[in-house]
Amino acid sequence: MAENIATEQGQSPDKNAEKRIIIRTVGLKKTYMMKDVLTQALRGVDVAIDQGEFISVMGPSGSGKSTFFNMIGALDSPTVGRVFIDEVDVAQLTAEELAYLRCHKIGYIFQSYNLIKYMTALENVTTPMAFGGVLPDEARERGMEILDLVGLKDRWHHRPIEMSGGQQQRVAIARSLANNPSVLLCDEPTANLDVNTGQEIIDILVRLNTEKGVTIICATHDHRMMNICDRLMWIRDGQIDRIANRDDVHIELASIDGE
Amino acid sequence: MKVINIDNQPWLSMPRTMKITTDGIRYRLFRASVTVAVITVAVAFLMNILAESLIKRAIAANTRERILKAQLNSIWASKLTSPGSPESIIIETATTEKGSDLYKETQAFAKFDDAAMEDFQELTKDINYIFNFFESLDYAKRRDLVHTSEGVDILRYLSDPENNKTFYIGLSRYKSIHFDMEKEELDAILAKIPQLDASINAILAARREANAKITEILRRDYPNANNDAERLAMALPNADKEFGDSIRSVGFVFDKETVAPELARQAQRLQDTTRMKNSIKDRPVRQLIAQEANILPADVNDVLMWNFLNDKDFAEKYLVKMADSGQNIEGLSAELLVDLAKGRKEAEALERAERLTMDAGRGFMGLGERLAWLLFVSLLVCGIGITNAMMMSVTERFTEIATLKCLGALDGFIMIMFVLESCFMGVVGGTIGAIIGALIGLGRMLSAFGVNFISAIPFLDVLGGMLISVILGTLLAAVAAVLPSWKAARLAPMEAMRVE
C-alpha cells in the first residue's frame, strides 16, 4: 500500500520528476514491557515519505503516533523492522553517527518548544551548529540569517522567558533549521498557540516547504494544517489506518461536517 | 540512488562547553548556591581543622623554643655553680651543634685539638643513642638487658664479657625492640671507655676549677650577702657588664653580643619579680590591695598583686605605699611594674600554650588519627550531598538534556557539562570554604593562645593547606557528579517529545 501512495504523489513546484524517498520504514513494530504487561505501540508500519513532501500525521492519543515519530526521528529503535533515513539504515549507526544524523539531517520542533531556557534566541539557534562543528563567527552570521527568515532578527538577544509562545516556536523552528536539515519533524507545533500565532507558524512551515523544499512531517490536530499539506496519514492502534491526498480528504471532511 | 554520508559527530569546543555550563549555572543560581553552600561548609570544616593543626604545631615548636630561651637564667646559674655529671656532659656535647659556644667551651676545658673534639663529639653521639635506646625500654626489659645500671654505668656493665653475652641473648629474645648498632660498633665504643673517662674527668675538673673561681669572685664582690646563691642572683643582672668579663675570664664561652644581654635582662627581671613578691609582706601594701579587691588583708597573695599591677595608676600608688612601709624602691618604676606583670602574663601564656599543644604535631600536617577520620566522614557526607543535588539537577533538566541530544549533543558532552558544573561549584565553594575555615581557625587559635603568638603562625603552610582544601573540594565535587552525569548522558532523547 505504501509504495502505491508514494508513487502517486508530486505536486509541489520544487518537486521535480525525480522523486527521492527520504524516509522509509519496513515492517516497523515496537513493543514495550510495562510491569509484565506487553504493550504493542506499533504493529507493523510500512510507509515511504518523499523528499519535499508536507505530510500530516493524525491519530488519537495512545495510537502509537508518538512512537512512530520517535522511530522516524532516530530517537528510538524499533523492536522489529527497519527505518531508513535518506536510505541509511538507522539501526546500523554508532552513537556518534546517530548524533551526527540528528544534528544535520533532522530538525525537531516540539509542542512545548523546548528551547534552552538560559540561552538567548541566537544562542539557541547556534547551539546545533556548534554541535556540528561550525565555527562561532560563521554560526552567528547564519543564525542571524535564519532568525531573519522567521522574522525575529530584532529579538536575537532575548531569552525564551522574554518571548511569547509564538515567538518561542519561531525560534524553535529557526533552531531546527540550523544545519539545513532534509526533514523537519513537528510534534503538534500549533497545539499550544492561539489561532493567529498558530497561523504564523503554519505560514512559516509552508514557506519552508515550498521555497526550500524541506520535507515536513507534522503531527497535528489543526484543520488549517490539513488544508495545506500534501498528504494526510491516520494512525490507529499502532497501524496506518489510512493515507490520502489532501483533495480526497476535503471531500471527506465536508461530508463529515455535513452529517 | 545517492547515499548520504554519515560522519562522526565532532566534539564541542571547550570554550562553548564552558559557556553553556556557566550560563546554565547562572540561570539556576539559587539551586547552585545551595550546592555551593554544602561544599563551602565541608571545605570550611576541613580547612578549619587543617589550619588549627598547622598553627598548633607551629606554636608548639615556637613555645618550646621560647621556653628554652626563657630558661637562660637557670641554665647559667647552674653552670656557674656546678660542674655537672658525666651524663649531662655527654648529652650536652651530643646535642649541640659543631662550632657552637658550648662546643668551643667543652673543647677548651678538655684541651682538645679540632680533630680530637670531633672524635669526642662523635663518641658522645653514639653514647647518647645508647642512652636513648635504654630510656625507651620498659623496666622489665631494661632490667633484663643491663640490670640496674644507669647512665655511663651501662657502658661499664656492658664491657664485662659475661654481661655482654647476656645482653645480646636478651636482645635476640625481644623481637619488638630494635637496637640499630652492630656488635663491632658497640665493641669499639666500649673499648673507648678509658679514653672517655679521661676526657670527661678533664672537663669536670676544668669546670670545677672555673666554678671555684667564680665563687671566689662573687665573695670578693658581694661581701654583704648571706650566701653564695644570693651573691649569684645579685651578680647575674650584671652579666652584660663586668661580671660577664669575669665569666669569660675563668674559661666559659659567654657571648657578649647575644647571650650576655639576654641573660642579664632575665636575671634582672627575676630579681625584680622576687622583690615584688616579697613586697606584700608589709601591712600598708597589703591594705592597698585588700581595699582594691575588697577582701581582708590576710587573704592578699601575689597573684592578686600581679593582676592589679597591670594598671599603671595602681602601680604608682603601690610604689608610694612600698616607700611608706620603708621598702627600698630604688630602680623600680610604675612602667617596670606594669611590664613585670605583663611578663608574668606572657610566661603564663607560654605555659598554657605548652599544655594546649601537647597533642599537636602527629600525623599528616599535624592531624591526629581521630581528626583524620572525622574529616573523612565529613567529606563523605558532603559528597553524598553533592550527588543528591546533582541528581535533582539532572531530574529537573530531563527535557533540556533530551533536547540537547536531539540537537546533536554527544553523551560525552552531556557528561562533561554536568561534571564541569559540579567542578565550578567545587572551586567556588572550596575557595569560600577555605577562606572561612582558615579565618575561623586563625581566630580560634589566636584567642586560645593570645595575640603575641601571631609571629609563630605559619601563614605559608596555612596557604598551602587552603590550596589543598580547594583542590580536594573540587575533586570531591567532580567525583560526586560522575554518577548523576552518567545518568544524564544515558537519557533517551525521546524524553524531549514528552509534554509535561
Side-chain angles (χ1 to χ4, degrees):
Chain A
M1 185 171 92
E3 289 98 55
N4 292 341
I5 289 156
T7 48
E8 279 170 20
Q9 285 306 310
Q11 58 270 79
S12 206
D14 284 46
K15 291 160 197 165
N16 303 327
E18 195 214 336
K19 274 169 280 173
R20 221 173 104 201
I21 295 174
I22 189 88
I23 288 176
R24 186 158 64 89
T25 67
V26 180
L28 211 56
K29 281 184 189 167
K30 180 76 181 179
T31 49
Y32 291 111
M33 271 300 255
M34 296 285 261
K35 287 181 185 167
D36 297 334
V37 181
L38 212 65
T39 315
Q40 281 211 306
L42 289 179
R43 309 156 186 264
V45 174
D46 296 274
V47 74
I49 295 162
D50 292 336
Q51 193 169 30
E53 212 179 356
F54 194 138
I55 181 162
S56 288
V57 182
M58 271 167 285
S61 62
S63 60
K65 193 175 57 178
S66 295
T67 313
F68 175 68
F69 255 73
N70 290 341
M71 298 296 163
I72 59 174
L75 302 181
D76 200 359
S77 53
T79 317
V80 182
R82 287 175 159 202
V83 178
F84 296 91
I85 297 174
D86 231 350
E87 290 306 314
V88 175
D89 187 354
V90 174
Q92 309 270 323
L93 300 180
T94 63
E96 284 85 0
E97 287 168 340
L98 259 178
Y100 181 91
L101 181 83
R102 289 175 197 144
C103 185
H104 290 87
K105 296 292 159 199
I106 308 172
Y108 303 87
I109 298 168
F110 307 99
Q111 183 181 340
S112 46
Y113 330 128
N114 285 9
L115 295 178
I116 311 296
K117 293 188 189 72
Y118 48 84
M119 292 183 186
T120 63
L122 183 63
E123 280 169 345
N124 261 297
V125 175
T126 54
T127 298
M129 298 186 198
F131 285 141
V134 179
L135 293 173
D137 289 336
E138 193 193 336
R140 209 170 304 127
E141 208 170 293
R142 249 170 63 192
M144 288 305 282
E145 270 171 36
I146 299 171
L147 278 176
D148 195 21
L149 194 76
V150 296
L152 283 176
K153 197 180 181 181
D154 301 333
R155 313 206 62 169
W156 64 270
H157 57 282
H158 287 225
R159 288 177 206 281
I161 208 164
E162 301 158 349
M163 288 187 281
S164 70
Q167 287 167 334
Q168 286 190 45
Q169 192 61 296
R170 278 191 275 164
V171 174
I173 293 174
R175 181 179 67 181
S176 71
L177 294 174
N179 289 322
N180 294 324
S182 333
V183 184
L184 275 191
L185 273 178
C186 317
D187 187 17
E188 309 218 11
T190 57
N192 284 6
L193 301 171
D194 61 48
V195 180
N196 290 333
T197 43
Q199 188 60 51
E200 282 171 25
I201 299 301
I202 292 169
D203 289 346
I204 290 171
L205 287 178
V206 170
R207 217 169 70 224
L208 288 174
N209 181 242
T210 51
E211 287 172 14
K212 293 205 164 190
V214 183
T215 314
I216 295 179
I217 305 167
C218 193
T220 187
H221 291 110
D222 198 326
H223 284 261
R224 290 166 297 176
M225 202 75 100
M226 298 174 198
N227 281 335
I228 48 92
C229 65
D230 299 330
R231 276 202 296 169
L232 285 149
M233 181 167 126
W234 282 267
I235 293 182
R236 195 185 293 268
D237 292 334
Q239 278 171 318
I240 294 184
D241 194 36
R242 241 187 102 193
I243 296 184
N245 287 340
R246 184 185 53 194
D247 304 334
D248 307 337
V249 182
H250 255 300
I251 301 155
E252 184 140 327
L253 274 175
S255 68
I256 290 170
D257 289 345
E259 265 179 20
Chain B
M1 193 168 282
K2 187 191 132 207
V3 176
I4 58 156
N5 288 327
I6 299 282
D7 255 336
N8 280 338
Q9 181 81 329
W11 277 85
L12 191 63
S13 68
M14 213 52 206
R16 186 70 191 232
T17 311
M18 294 272 237
K19 185 163 185 338
I20 290 177
T21 313
T22 46
D23 281 353
I25 296 175
R26 234 183 300 155
Y27 187 77
R28 286 178 301 275
L29 207 57
F30 183 73
R31 173 170 294 289
S33 61
V34 173
T35 316
V36 167
V38 172
I39 301 172
T40 303
V41 170
V43 173
F45 184 67
L46 167 77
M47 187 58 219
N48 180 32
I49 290 180
L50 219 58
E52 287 188 12
S53 311
L54 284 170
I55 294 172
K56 220 175 192 179
R57 191 168 62 169
I59 286 183
N62 182 270
T63 309
R64 243 173 279 134
E65 206 175 286
R66 275 158 82 161
I67 286 178
L68 211 67
K69 245 193 199 162
Q71 285 171 341
L72 214 55
N73 189 65
S74 54
I75 289 171
W76 277 93
S78 72
K79 199 168 178 172
L80 292 178
T81 51
S82 132
S85 65
E87 287 79 19
S88 73
I89 289 175
I90 288 171
I91 293 169
E92 265 172 24
T93 314
T95 52
T96 193
E97 267 163 51
K98 193 183 167 190
S100 69
D101 288 351
L102 187 69
Y103 185 89
K104 283 183 210 150
E105 186 184 288
T106 310
Q107 184 176 1
F109 279 147
K111 298 187 181 67
F112 280 145
D113 56 18
D114 288 347
M117 184 59 200
E118 248 169 71
D119 286 347
F120 180 64
Q121 197 188 19
E122 282 309 310
L123 183 62
T124 57
K125 275 180 182 168
D126 288 340
I127 296 171
N128 191 29
Y129 171 77
I130 297 173
F131 284 178
N132 284 336
F133 170 73
F134 285 107
E135 277 306 309
S136 70
L137 297 181
D138 63 45
Y139 178 77
K141 282 179 190 146
R142 181 173 174 147
R143 194 183 163 86
D144 196 25
L145 292 179
V146 290
H147 204 241
T148 53
S149 325
E150 300 240 11
V152 188
D153 285 340
I154 292 173
L155 300 177
R156 291 192 225 292
Y157 176 86
L158 286 179
S159 29
D160 182 87
E162 205 53 41
N163 292 340
N164 196 294
K165 213 182 271 168
T166 54
F167 169 70
Y168 277 106
I169 290 169
L171 214 54
S172 64
R173 193 164 348 116
Y174 297 120
K175 300 285 183 229
S176 61
I177 55 177
H178 298 287
F179 185 62
D180 289 334
M181 201 176 260
E182 300 291 322
K183 192 173 188 310
E184 292 81 42
E185 275 181 85
L186 183 62
D187 288 345
I189 292 168
L190 295 178
K192 282 182 193 160
I193 289 179
Q195 193 187 328
L196 179 78
D197 281 344
S199 308
I200 286 178
N201 284 338
I203 294 167
L204 284 175
R207 281 192 177 185
R208 216 170 279 132
E209 197 184 322
N211 289 340
K213 277 184 196 160
I214 288 284
T215 314
E216 208 173 289
I217 291 169
L218 285 173
R219 281 181 185 158
R220 188 196 66 206
D221 289 352
Y222 301 94
N224 299 329
N226 295 325
N227 52 38
D228 286 348
E230 204 171 296
R231 285 189 189 98
L232 186 65
M234 287 162 84
L236 275 176
N238 292 324
D240 54 342
K241 296 189 213 87
E242 68 271 24
F243 185 58
D245 298 331
S246 309
I247 295 174
R248 274 183 286 276
S249 70
V250 298
F252 290 109
V253 177
F254 182 58
D255 194 90
K256 202 173 185 173
E257 302 300 319
T258 57
V259 188
E262 178 61 23
L263 176 60
R265 198 185 64 81
Q266 285 183 17
Q268 182 63 50
R269 281 188 90 91
L270 190 70
Q271 208 180 37
D272 292 342
T273 310
T274 319
R275 219 164 128 193
M276 291 306 297
K277 229 176 173 172
N278 293 333
S279 73
I280 53 170
K281 275 185 225 142
D282 286 321
R283 194 169 169 76
V285 180
R286 288 180 88 89
Q287 262 170 350
L288 177 68
I289 299 173
Q291 220 170 21
E292 200 80 9
N294 204 13
I295 53 169
L296 291 172
D299 293 335
V300 169
N301 58 21
D302 58 323
V303 177
L304 267 173
M305 175 193 73
W306 290 121
N307 280 346
F308 283 117
L309 281 182
N310 271 316
D311 179 31
K312 202 181 158 201
D313 293 339
F314 182 83
E316 267 161 13
K317 273 192 266 174
Y318 193 83
L319 274 178
V320 173
K321 287 282 174 193
M322 274 174 79
D324 284 354
S325 50
Q327 292 184 24
N328 176 22
I329 59 162
E330 189 196 330
L332 295 178
S333 67
E335 285 85 14
L336 181 68
L337 261 49
V338 173
D339 194 42
L340 283 177
K342 255 190 212 143
R344 237 186 81 91
K345 244 186 180 174
E346 261 164 46
E348 268 173 11
L350 268 181
E351 239 171 72
R352 196 177 59 236
E354 197 189 17
R355 263 201 322 277
L356 285 175
T357 54
M358 291 277 254
D359 60 340
R362 268 169 241 125
F364 170 69
M365 294 195 89
L367 288 175
E369 202 172 296
R370 201 171 60 88
L371 274 182
W373 170 243
L374 213 64
L375 274 185
F376 174 73
V377 171
S378 82
L379 287 184
L380 200 73
V381 170
C382 170
I384 292 169
I386 299 170
T387 310
N388 182 43
M390 291 309 286
M391 279 285 193
M392 300 275 279
S393 177
V394 168
T395 313
E396 72 186 18
R397 292 165 73 184
F398 263 6
T399 313
E400 180 193 324
I401 297 163
T403 309
L404 282 173
K405 288 184 91 170
C406 283
L407 299 181
L410 290 170
D411 290 6
F413 163 75
I414 304 283
M415 201 147 166
I416 283 181
M417 191 169 96
F418 278 92
V419 173
L420 212 61
E421 181 175 322
S422 194
C423 278
F424 275 135
M425 293 193 286
V427 171
V428 174
T431 311
I432 300 173
I435 292 170
I436 292 177
L439 285 181
I440 292 177
L442 221 63
R444 264 172 52 92
M445 287 294 106
L446 282 183
S447 72
F449 294 108
V451 195
N452 56 339
F453 278 98
I454 201 155
S455 59
I457 288 169
F459 285 104
L460 221 62
D461 283 4
V462 172
L463 218 65
M466 282 167 82
L467 201 70
I468 289 179
S469 302
V470 173
I471 291 172
L472 217 63
T474 312
L475 219 64
L476 182 80
V479 170
V482 166
L483 185 71
S485 57
W486 186 72
K487 196 182 156 201
R490 269 174 22 122
L491 196 72
M494 58 186 176
E495 289 284 334
M497 289 283 190
R498 198 161 286 169
V499 182
E500 296 106 46

